[in-house]
């Protein structure tokens, strides 16, 4: 099996080298779709003999699907710039690539899922808070699966009859370097999530704005055992509650603006 590795980037000079280093052994082709970075991302990528394509970013779903469509091979591994394969996962992928296919892919699954584990601000690997185990389909046959979603939280969509195999290795996620990075992502992601809510005509009540952030904290810190992740877990759950509040306020503001525009 030949494998294309695909990555979307924007100013990822801090992360992209680690990501590329982790996939170079499994990749027969590395495709990077970049949203016109202004740092050293392009130079680092070209040092790994990547196919480097510049493409305007509209949203995560369309950008990732565009990237998949640039791949030469049927099987695609989609990985983010702030992620890397651990050694177990790397070996599992190499084992999959060595499976005899007898000129067809019947011996291969349609897709492979693996757990993502997140490192928070260099403090610790998070094992709770609803962040783990984070099962993701990231290795798939592009003729069977496509990225779908509305603006954000993109997922590989596959037919119900698809064969999906779970692997034991981990995708290592280096999420943020500082608390400011987390705050900035909340700002960006809540903008896109609010737009997706409005597009789907989901309404948020005033009671929801007041209650749901509190419930988010209780769910993640107590029910999902975030307290076992220590101070990092407490920060994550508080930030998650804050993100819920901001998201719902933005939804209501957008809906109010749209209603006033119609009138």
């Amino acid at each position: 099996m030949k494998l294309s590795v695909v990555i979307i980037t924007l100013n990822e000079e801090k992360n992209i080298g680690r990501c590329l280093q982790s996939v170079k052994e499994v990749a027969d082709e590395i495709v990077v779709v970049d949203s016109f970075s202004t740092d050293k991302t392009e130079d680092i990528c070209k040092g790994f003999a990547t196919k480097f394509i510049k493409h305007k970013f509209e949203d995560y779903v369309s950008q990732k699907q565009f990237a998949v469509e640039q791949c030469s091979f049927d099987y695609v591994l989609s990985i983010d710039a702030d992620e890397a394969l651990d050694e177990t996962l790397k070996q599992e992928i190499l084992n999959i690539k060595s499976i005899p296919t007898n000129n067809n892919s019947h011996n291969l699954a349609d897709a492979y899922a693996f757990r993502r584990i997140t490192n928070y601000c260099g403090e610790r690997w998070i094992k709770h808070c609803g962040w783990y185990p984070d099962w993701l389909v990231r290795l798939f046959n592009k003729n069977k699966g496509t990225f779908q979603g509305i603006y954000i939280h993109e997922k590989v969509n596959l037919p119900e009859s698809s064969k999906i195999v779970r692997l034991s290795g981990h995708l290592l996620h280096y999420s943020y370097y500082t608390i400011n990075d987390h705050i900035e992502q909340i700002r960006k992601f809540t903008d896109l999530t609010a737009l997706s809510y409005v597009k789907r005509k989901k309404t948020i009540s005033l009671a929801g704005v007041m209650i749901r952030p509190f419930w988010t904290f209780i769910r993640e810190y107590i029910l999902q055992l975030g307290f076992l992740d220590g101070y990092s877990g407490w920060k994550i759950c508080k930030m998650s509650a804050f993100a819920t509040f901001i998201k719902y306020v933005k939804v209501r503001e957008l809906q109010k603006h749209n209603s006033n525009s119609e009138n």
Side-chain angles (χ1 to χ4, degrees):
M1 179 186 82
K2 296 287 189 180
L3 180 65
S4 295
V5 173
V6 64
I7 311 163
I8 65 171
T9 57
L10 173 62
N11 294 332
E12 291 285 359
E13 65 179 10
K14 288 183 178 180
N15 295 309
I16 192 63
R18 177 183 57 229
C19 176
L20 292 168
Q21 186 68 32
S22 81
V23 300
K24 69 177 186 179
E25 291 180 46
V26 305
D28 296 290
E29 169 189 60
I30 300 177
V31 178
V32 176
V33 174
D34 182 76
S35 308
F36 299 94
S37 292
T38 56
D39 63 1
K40 297 178 181 178
T41 296
E42 183 173 0
D43 293 336
I44 297 170
C45 288
K46 289 184 174 179
F48 283 83
T50 61
K51 182 193 292 185
F52 194 86
I53 302 167
K54 295 183 181 181
H55 185 259
K56 181 181 178 181
F57 182 89
E58 294 181 358
D59 59 68
Y60 288 96
V61 179
S62 59
Q63 190 79 343
K64 284 198 173 183
Q65 186 55 35
F66 172 83
V68 168
E69 291 165 2
Q70 311 314 304
C71 294
S72 304
F73 306 117
D74 288 342
Y75 276 83
V76 173
L77 169 64
S78 176
I79 185 169
D80 292 341
D82 61 356
E83 297 171 342
L85 309 179
D86 74 359
E87 290 301 319
T88 300
L89 184 54
K90 190 184 303 182
Q91 187 57 54
E92 286 178 303
I93 294 173
L94 288 171
N95 292 342
I96 291 167
K97 291 186 63 181
S98 68
I99 294 174
T101 57
N102 299 322
N103 297 321
N104 60 57
S105 59
H106 292 171
N107 294 333
L108 297 171
D110 298 313
Y112 297 86
F114 25 87
R115 293 165 295 177
R116 181 170 65 172
I117 186 168
T118 297
N119 184 284
Y120 187 72
C121 296
E123 296 172 355
R124 66 190 297 165
W125 293 99
I126 303 302
K127 299 288 185 66
H128 307 91
C129 303
W131 280 22
Y132 182 86
D134 184 15
W135 284 99
L136 300 169
V137 170
R138 289 292 193 83
L139 173 56
F140 60 98
N141 186 329
K142 70 178 183 180
N143 299 315
K144 301 287 185 68
T146 57
F147 277 107
Q148 293 189 8
I150 301 177
Y151 302 129
I152 195 172
H153 302 311
E154 66 287 348
K155 291 184 178 181
V156 177
N157 186 59
L158 294 148
E160 291 185 7
S161 60
S162 298
K163 179 183 177 182
I164 303 174
V165 172
R166 287 189 169 190
L167 304 180
S168 60
H170 285 85
L171 189 64
L172 306 176
H173 183 211
Y174 298 87
S175 59
Y176 317 104
Y177 289 95
T178 67
I179 194 71
N180 284 334
D181 289 344
H182 195 169
I183 293 169
E184 176 59 22
Q185 191 191 66
I186 287 174
R187 183 199 65 76
K188 181 170 63 175
F189 279 18
T190 53
D191 279 349
L192 292 170
T193 304
L195 286 171
S196 74
Y197 270 52
V198 171
K199 188 175 181 66
R200 288 178 288 163
K201 300 187 184 303
K202 293 186 67 172
T203 58
I204 302 298
S205 66
L206 183 59
V209 174
M210 294 186 290
I211 295 171
R212 290 301 292 271
F214 175 74
W215 166 244
T216 296
F217 180 81
I218 295 299
R219 183 187 67 227
E220 296 184 5
Y221 193 67
I222 305 298
L223 301 182
Q224 295 177 330
L225 307 180
F227 62 90
L228 294 178
D229 286 312
Y231 179 52
S232 295
W234 182 81
K235 285 193 293 183
I236 287 168
C237 296
K238 290 292 287 185
M239 293 289 277
S240 184
F242 172 68
T244 299
F245 170 73
I246 294 298
K247 174 180 66 179
Y248 286 165
V249 167
K250 287 181 178 180
V251 171
R252 286 179 60 86
E253 290 296 318
L254 282 171
Q255 290 172 336
K256 180 180 178 180
H257 174 75
N258 292 344
S259 177
N260 291 339
S261 298
E262 292 173 0
N263 296 331

